[in-house]
């Protein structure tokens, strides 16, 4: 069972927790992180969602919800390790931006960037989450987004590329 810390509109923890899947009150948010991993060639490591997940067989960058007690960097390191089997170093992470989404299920999004070189054959992905991985250029990612082949939960990340944050 997974619990999330609850944040206010300004991104501060409220001291409240909710169980994953429970509704949040108006003005409450949970934290979701995304990791953009870029190699020395300027390509991004993206993964394909397991076909049994919502949005299955679409591409995405590593992401997920922070669990209670985690800060943003701890959550991003855990998600990358769980989903791709990669141990990133916190000191190598660059926090790019925090976005707020006032949707039916409101959330905060912390977007991280890491420079990291790894042979694609050394990526050991979690099969319940991921069914494939590849390196992709910025243009290839934008093309996947335009064709609807990038997970809809990551559509907002197009702004990261358009604003040249990574």
């Amino acid at each position: 069972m997974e619990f999330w810390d609850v944040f206010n509109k300004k991104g501060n923890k409220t001291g409240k927790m909710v169980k994953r899947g429970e509704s949040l009150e108006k003005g409450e948010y949970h934290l979701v992180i995304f990791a953009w991993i870029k190699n020395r060639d300027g390509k991004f490591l993206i993964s394909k969602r397991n076909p049994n997940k919502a949005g299955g067989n679409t591409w995405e960058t590593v992401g997920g919800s922070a669990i209670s007690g985690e800060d943003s960097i701890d959550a991003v390191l855990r998600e990358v390790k769980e989903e791709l089997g990669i141990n990133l170093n916190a000191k190598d992470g660059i926090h790019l931006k925090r976005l707020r989404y006032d949707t039916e299920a409101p959330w905060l999004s912390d977007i991280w960037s890491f420079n990291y070189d790894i042979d694609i054959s050394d990526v050991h992905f979690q099969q319940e989450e991921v069914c494939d991985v590849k390196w992709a250029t910025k243009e290839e990612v934008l093309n996947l987004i335009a064709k609807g082949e990038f997970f809809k939960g990551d559509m907002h990340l197009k702004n990261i590329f358009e604003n040249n944050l990574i």
Side-chain angles (χ1 to χ4, degrees):
M1 185 175 318
E2 189 173 289
F3 287 89
W4 297 336
D5 289 321
V6 176
F7 293 78
N8 65 21
K9 192 174 197 170
K10 293 183 179 182
N12 299 314
K13 288 183 181 179
T14 65
K16 182 178 171 184
M17 285 189 312
V18 295
K19 187 170 36 170
R20 182 185 186 111
E22 287 182 356
S23 295
L24 295 166
E25 300 292 326
K26 184 171 175 62
E28 293 180 336
Y29 302 81
H30 80 281
L31 179 62
V32 178
I33 56 79
F34 294 96
W36 284 95
I37 301 170
K38 184 166 62 170
N39 69 12
R40 74 172 68 100
D41 296 326
K43 292 183 176 181
F44 297 93
L45 186 60
I46 59 174
S47 57
K48 188 177 258 191
R49 293 173 68 85
N50 179 298
N52 297 322
K53 289 184 70 173
N57 287 322
T58 56
W59 293 95
E60 67 181 349
T61 187
V62 174
S65 294
I67 57 176
S68 184
E70 284 183 325
D71 61 16
S72 182
I73 188 66
D74 291 334
V76 78
L77 296 175
R78 176 186 51 77
E79 286 287 348
V80 170
K81 174 66 175 164
E82 283 178 5
E83 292 187 15
L84 301 181
I86 298 173
N87 288 308
L88 296 175
N89 192 317
K91 69 177 178 60
D92 296 329
I94 300 168
H95 183 253
L96 299 174
K97 192 166 190 155
R98 175 170 276 182
L99 302 169
R100 188 182 77 229
Y101 293 91
D102 294 306
T103 59
E104 185 177 318
W107 54 294
L108 302 171
S109 171
D110 275 356
I111 302 164
W112 290 85
S113 174
F114 293 86
N115 291 322
Y116 190 80
D117 285 302
I118 189 170
D119 186 301
I120 205 79
S121 65
D122 292 331
V123 176
H124 301 287
F125 50 84
Q126 182 183 25
Q127 294 187 353
E128 299 82 24
E129 297 279 337
V130 176
C131 65
D132 198 6
V133 293
K134 69 178 179 178
W135 289 106
T137 64
K138 173 181 172 178
E139 292 73 25
E140 289 169 327
V141 171
L142 289 170
N143 188 39
L144 288 168
I145 291 170
K147 293 189 318 188
E149 295 176 17
F150 211 77
F151 183 58
K152 66 180 180 180
D154 290 345
M155 293 299 286
H156 69 281
L157 298 177
K158 180 178 177 184
N159 295 327
I160 298 302
F161 285 133
E162 289 174 346
N163 293 313
N164 292 314
L165 294 176
I166 52 176

